[in-house]
Amino acid sequence: MKKIISLLLALVMTFGMSSICVSADNEPYPWKDLLFWQPYRYYKSSYEFELNWFLDYDENEINFWPPCCIQCRDSSDGRWWTIKVVRGEPGFNSADVPWFAIDGKTYGEYRIYCPVFGYYKSLNKMYDDDYHEEAITSDVIKIRQPFEYSPEIKKTSRSKTAVRLTWWAGSTSGDGTRIQQYDAKKKKWVNVLTVRSNADSARVTGLKPGKTYKFRIRQYKRVADKHYPVLKKTDKDGNRYYSNVFWSEPSNVVTVKTKK
């Protein structure tokens, strides 16, 4: 039996698709909450991201470490498709996953499907200890592709006390845009205005006549299900900080002098 299972796993790893990944459960795995997500990190890439999860079962109870079928839901028909298969192990697991059927603006839905093999008591029969081939499925995580391009300020106009900025958002627009002004005294960029996602221009007011100002913009969007934050950074002491919001790279800097 173990040789047959090993052969099936080899086929899955070779071709990426197998009935192992799409078979229905005959009965649920007898212990709940065995497969769950860990915080994950987006690559700065439009092609793939790093996905982490945890298999929390007793390897003494299972005589075969199952393949983990990473699946994405087709938004058109609701079907789950296996896009990658990796070998699962008890404990922490990680895989590089390609973005699939996501345009950067909508959320994609992912899950992990793991068939398991072992001798244990089923839910229906409390006193048997038979061999079972079943599956556990993670909950669904909703994530969105990070920014592929930085925004670009394309045009400016001015009056005595105001400047209007007009920008091009790129192919993956966010949930909003923040306008920043450079503070020469503090030598840093200061947030002065935030506008909604469908805006492609903003007017900064309260400026002084005949003065020169520097501006740039950054866009933001919520990229992850709030229950599964993205690892943002790790400080020198090893403390981890997480966020559900991603920021684009800053735009080009424009210098504008108000009218006298």
Side-chain angles (χ1 to χ4, degrees), residues 26 44 59 61 64 77 82 96 108 139 157 169 171 176 183 220 222 235 237 239 243 258:
N26 292 324
K44 289 186 176 179
E59 59 184 299
E61 297 286 341
F64 175 67
D77 59 14
T82 296
D96 296 342
D139 54 352
S157 60
S171 64
D183 189 321
Y220 67 90
R222 297 189 179 278
D235 65 18
D237 298 322
N239 298 314
S243 175
T258 55

Side-chain angles (χ1 to χ4, degrees), residues 30-44:
W31 301 285
K32 296 180 178 180
D33 302 325
L34 300 182
L35 175 62
F36 52 91
W37 298 106
Q38 294 276 38
Y40 53 94
R41 185 197 301 272
Y42 282 84
Y43 287 159
K44 289 186 176 179

Side-chain angles (χ1 to χ4, degrees), residues 93-238:
N93 289 262
S94 180
D96 296 342
V97 181
W99 296 108
F100 181 76
I102 304 175
D103 60 8
K105 298 179 182 180
T106 57
Y107 285 93
E109 294 183 283
Y110 292 83
R111 74 177 186 183
I112 305 290
Y113 178 94
C114 291
V116 291
F117 308 86
Y119 293 88
Y120 50 83
K121 295 178 177 63
S122 70
L123 290 177
N124 298 326
K125 299 178 180 179
M126 299 301 297
Y127 302 102
D128 68 350
D129 194 20
D130 296 333
Y131 181 83
H132 296 269
E133 296 183 13
E134 298 166 1
I136 52 176
T137 305
S138 74
D139 54 352
V140 177
I141 188 171
K142 296 173 66 176
I143 57 178
R144 194 161 58 161
Q145 189 174 6
F147 291 99
E148 186 174 359
Y149 300 105
S150 300
E152 181 180 0
I153 300 175
K154 301 293 291 185
K155 185 174 67 174
T156 64
S157 60
R158 62 199 174 103
S159 66
K160 289 185 178 181
T161 59
V163 168
R164 178 171 291 278
L165 308 175
T166 302
W167 57 83
W168 174 75
S171 64
T172 52
S173 61
D175 296 324
T177 302
R178 179 165 290 175
I179 292 84
Q180 297 181 318
Q181 179 182 325
Y182 187 72
D183 189 321
K185 292 183 180 180
K186 297 180 180 179
K187 295 184 178 181
K188 67 177 184 179
W189 290 95
V190 178
N191 302 325
V192 295
L193 185 64
T194 301
V195 295
R196 61 186 183 276
S197 60
N198 59 350
D200 60 2
S201 67
R203 189 168 180 263
V204 182
T205 60
L207 306 178
K208 295 180 179 180
K211 296 291 185 179
T212 300
Y213 297 90
K214 291 183 178 181
F215 298 98
R216 72 180 188 182
I217 63 173
R218 297 186 72 184
Q219 291 189 315
Y220 67 90
K221 65 178 174 179
R222 297 189 179 278
V223 293
D225 191 319
K226 66 180 181 179
H227 298 294
Y228 308 99
V230 179
L231 180 61
K232 188 176 182 181
K233 64 178 181 180
T234 303
D235 65 18
K236 62 181 180 180
D237 298 322

